[in-house]
Amino acid sequence: MVAATTLKNGVALSLAMAVVLVPTVILSLLLRQKLRFPYWLGTPVWTMAAMFLASLSYYVIRFISVEITDSLGIYLYLLASAAVVSAVFTGKRITTLPAAGAWALRYTGGFALAALVISAIREVLTYGSLWGFVLPEPLRLAGAQMPFFGFIMFGVFSAGYQWIRRLMAELGRLRSAREEGGEVL
């Protein structure tokens, strides 16, 4: 989320993630299960595929803004490496193509949600605008454009997500205990 300093960058990163992650996860599953590639041989293959797809994603994200590829720089290829790591770690749990595609789409959706929220907040705080449109009463924070601010926001966003997950699990536990007529501690 470091590169997500504007909403356009957040949208571009989200589109690039979809272009790279979904085919990479499906390819890794095909190589491992259908072609019986060992991890040591499959990993370089889907790594090269992810980097190739990251290069192709330039043509998709240029529709958002021509200069966006320059502002993303190396972060686009770091995103491709995240797709490879995801493919490796999820490969042990996912066994069907529909499950692989569904997982990749959920992962991309979560990534997009985080990228869009964080990038919108950072654009408002850094530039006083949203999608390039200047806001009437801009609130500016000079440090919001710095990489550490993106990392901090991502940490806060992750902590908030974990808190909501725990709260929902606890509410579900209380609801099921109440429905069973059991005692709630």
Side-chain angles (χ1 to χ4, degrees):
M1 301 307 156
V2 175
T5 55
T6 67
L7 187 55
K8 285 183 182 182
N9 282 3
V11 169
L13 283 171
S14 299
L15 285 173
M17 177 61 93
V19 167
V20 174
L21 183 69
V22 175
T24 301
V25 168
I26 290 172
L27 176 65
S28 72
L29 181 72
L30 287 173
L31 290 176
R32 282 182 287 104
Q33 289 194 344
K34 303 298 183 202
L35 300 176
R36 303 285 185 215
F37 267 57
Y39 271 117
W40 67 269
L41 184 57
T43 302
V45 171
W46 64 69
T47 300
M48 294 303 292
M51 294 303 168
F52 175 72
L53 289 166
S55 296
L56 286 180
S57 72
Y58 271 117
Y59 297 104
V60 174
I61 63 178
R62 289 180 71 80
F63 288 110
I64 298 169
S65 173
V66 176
E67 67 275 352
I68 205 146
T69 54
D70 294 333
S71 65
L72 291 178
I74 193 169
Y75 292 107
L76 189 58
Y77 293 99
L78 288 174
L79 180 129
S81 67
V84 170
V85 171
S86 298
V88 169
F89 284 113
T90 59
K92 296 176 177 129
R93 295 177 288 171
I94 297 173
T95 57
T96 66
L97 287 177
W103 179 88
L105 289 172
R106 281 192 316 272
Y107 188 95
T108 301
F111 178 88
L113 176 65
L116 296 176
V117 170
I118 290 170
S119 62
I121 292 170
R122 288 183 77 189
E123 182 177 358
V124 167
L125 293 177
T126 301
Y127 305 109
S129 64
L130 192 59
W131 197 268
F133 296 104
V134 178
L135 299 174
E137 291 293 324
L139 171 66
R140 296 216 173 150
L141 183 62
Q145 71 184 12
M146 303 303 288
F148 72 86
F149 192 84
F151 287 125
I152 290 170
M153 283 197 66
F154 182 71
V156 168
F157 195 80
S158 296
Y161 173 76
Q162 292 299 323
W163 179 77
I164 290 170
R165 276 187 61 192
R166 274 183 271 171
L167 181 65
M168 297 303 286
E170 181 64 22
L171 290 174
R173 187 186 70 79
L174 291 172
R175 185 178 316 120
S176 65
R178 200 172 303 128
E179 288 172 358
E180 293 173 3
E183 190 173 313
V184 180
L185 297 176

